[in-house]
Structures are given as structure tokens and as C-alpha cells.
Amino acid sequence: MFRSGNPALKADTFTGERAFGAGAMTLEGAVNRTGIALVILIAAAALQWNGVFGAAMPLVTLVGVIGGFVVALVTAFKRVWAPTTTPLYAALEGLALGGISLVFEARYPGIVMNAVGLTFGTLAALLLAYRAGLVRATEKFKLGVFAATGGIALLYLVSMVMGFFGASIPFIHGSGPIGIGFSLVVVVIAALNLVLDFDFIERGAAAGAPKYMEWYAAFGLLVTLVWLYLEMLRLLAKLQDRRR
């Protein structure tokens, strides 16, 4: 059955991989690795935010976007490399998000801090709800979120291809009621992926996955957080456009 809507955390990620004792994955280890990855991402984003790269900011952002995508693919296919590729992915995504955030901040002052607060607030709230048993990742829940995530990915892909030909999917990218409603749905789906990621990591630790999977688990959770933050930015931007 599906374990997560996150493509980095597939159903068979832990299949056939077991370890014991000090060589096994633990929840604490996965949390620590996630914390390290987040610190790296935030530090890289801060370099962009503070103008360290000057006029080269757009180029550095592009390097972050493309490099992050390539490293993510490598990590997904070579999980054993995760202790090296996950910190690299975090650094590249930090450079990308720092540049993207500057563009949004220039047009919508204050939007970045709001998006950051909402992203981490959502993470904390869902983690608490999950640990308290208020939210349960049942098989039907997992399948529903997986299907919704796949649908959104397909819609974005179609939209991107249409953009190459000067066309676009009506309404969803605008600041009208449909566009805002669409962004709200995407934010909710991205947030629900966090619940599935928590469950997936917990099951991995219980299954005795190898130690390097702590880094891979951190990578998967980081992928979801990056997506959630970007969708928060898009939603807040649409809401501000609506008020103008």
C-alpha cells in the first residue's frame, strides 16, 4: 500500500533494508538530521536574502533551482548517498528559495515572514496532532492524499507545457475566487503530506531501516516543506492581489 504522497518517500523505500543496534534508523536520529538540513537550508537562504551574491543573485537562484532538482533525483534513486546529497540538496534549495523569496518580498512587502511563519506553524501543529493521535494516516487517507498530490503534479506539468506555447490553464493562477480556492486546496494537500511523512518515518524506524535512511527521511520531509512554503507564498500573493 502507499506510505506517502511524497515521491521521495515511496511505498517500497524500506523494503529489503534492515539494520540492528547502533546501525539502525531511529526517530531521534531522523529528527536530528532534519534539523541539520533545515539549518543548512536557512543559512543558504540567508546568504541570498542579505545580498551576499549581489548582481549574481538571479544566476545563483537558477543554479539552486536546477541543482536542487538534479540532486533530488540522484537522492531518490541512490538512497545510500543521502548522508552527502541531503545537505547538498538543502544548500541548493536554500539558495533557490532565498532568491525566489526576494522576488516575492519586493512585490509584496512582509509576505516572506508570513509564509515562513505559516509553514513552520503548520508543521508544528500537524506534528502535535499526529503525536497526540488526533490525525491518523489510515490506508484510505494515504491513498487519497497520494492521488490528490499526483493530480496536482500532473496539472502543474500540463500548465508548464502549455506555457511553452503561450497558453495557460484559465483561472487557477489568477487572484480570483477560483485561483485562491485552488491555492488553498494545494496548501492543504501539501500539509497533509507532512502527516504521511511522519507516519512513513515512524514506520521506517520501527522496521529497522539502515542508519543512512535517517538522512533520506530528512530529505523527504524537506521536499514537502519546500513545496508547502512555495504554495504559501503563492496563496498569500493571490490574497494581496485580491485586496488591491
Side-chain angles (χ1 to χ4, degrees), residues 221-235:
L221 192 54
L222 207 61
V223 168
T224 302
L225 285 173
V226 167
W227 178 32
L228 179 59
Y229 171 71
L230 290 173
E231 294 300 340
M232 286 290 190
L233 277 179
R234 287 165 57 86
L235 174 59

Side-chain angles (χ1 to χ4, degrees), residues 81-137:
W81 293 357
T84 299
T85 57
T86 297
L88 179 58
Y89 171 78
L92 289 167
E93 283 299 316
L95 295 176
L97 293 183
I100 292 170
S101 296
L102 278 174
V103 173
F104 273 89
E105 186 70 16
R107 183 171 180 181
Y108 310 98
I111 192 174
V112 169
M113 288 301 103
N114 288 333
V116 169
L118 286 170
T119 299
F120 282 101
T122 301
L123 172 64
L126 286 175
L127 180 57
L128 287 173
Y130 178 77
R131 297 302 296 172
L134 299 176
V135 179
R136 296 185 182 277

Side-chain angles (χ1 to χ4, degrees), residues 150-173:
I152 291 168
L154 181 61
L155 188 62
Y156 278 164
L157 178 61
V158 170
S159 180
M160 182 175 66
V161 172
M162 290 177 64
F164 293 144
F165 299 95
S168 64
I169 299 176
F171 306 119
I172 67 171
H173 299 300

